[in-house]
Amino acid sequence: MPSSPTFEDFVAMHGRTLGGFALLITGNHHDAQDVLQEALIGLYPKWRRVVEQGDPLAYVRRSIVNRHLSAGRKLRRLVSLDHGRVPSTDPIRAVDGREWALSMLATLPERQRVAVVLRVMEGREFAEIADALGVSEGNARKIVSRGVAALRARPTEEES
């Protein structure tokens, strides 16, 4: 029976991918680094159990989503300001495709952004999205649909 990977091997193998996932979920590099670090810190003491129970990659992705959504709820409780998004890029300057995609995702409300990333970019099933967001499967479908519709209504990179 092959030995399971060490925590360090797991981070070395998947750290970059998880960092990209966290960036898509949070919409900015600083928050992405924070939620990824928190997720990995939370995983470390549970490493053996998580490996024995199944897929540690899925565990960390779920933890990233949960931590991001939890941080947003905490912030909204602390600050009673309108948290509407301000465009993160100057529309005049040219941006590469990655920055454009991130800026487009950043325009979505938090739950829609998470749902769209999980469905479109990660290929997750609606049941998984519903579980991650703590909603019914039908509501998860609605959130994804609205997020995708909002993105389609925005100008494409070439039109910007």
Side-chain angles (χ1 to χ4, degrees), residues 17-154:
T17 301
L18 289 168
F21 176 75
L23 179 60
L24 291 171
I25 293 295
T26 64
N28 71 68
H29 294 283
H30 297 293
D31 290 344
Q33 290 172 348
D34 287 347
V35 296
L36 176 57
Q37 183 177 13
E38 290 171 10
L40 292 173
I41 288 170
L43 171 64
Y44 184 75
K46 304 173 190 173
W47 176 249
R48 292 278 178 228
R49 183 170 44 91
V50 170
V51 169
E52 290 170 4
Q53 290 177 347
D55 185 3
L57 193 56
Y59 180 92
V60 175
R61 284 186 176 132
R62 172 80 188 265
S63 182
I64 288 169
V65 169
N66 289 344
R67 289 169 192 278
H68 174 65
L69 292 175
S70 177
R73 285 189 295 269
K74 286 177 188 173
L75 182 60
R76 281 190 294 283
R77 280 194 302 263
L78 292 173
V79 180
S80 62
L81 300 174
D82 179 12
H83 65 282
R85 301 273 181 210
V86 175
S88 62
T89 60
D90 180 352
I92 295 172
R93 76 176 171 92
V95 293
D96 64 41
R98 179 180 170 168
E99 289 300 316
W100 177 81
L102 286 173
S103 69
M104 291 298 290
L105 284 169
T107 65
L108 293 176
E110 187 173 15
R111 292 167 64 90
Q112 284 181 5
R113 181 174 60 246
V114 169
V116 167
V117 168
L118 290 174
R119 179 67 179 165
V120 176
M121 304 182 130
E122 291 283 315
R124 301 295 174 174
E125 298 295 324
F126 287 109
E128 293 176 279
I129 298 166
D131 188 43
L133 295 176
V135 299
S136 69
E137 191 171 331
N139 200 5
R141 288 177 184 275
K142 198 180 305 182
I143 293 168
V144 170
S145 176
R146 288 179 180 162
V148 170
L151 290 175
R152 286 184 178 148
R154 302 203 189 281

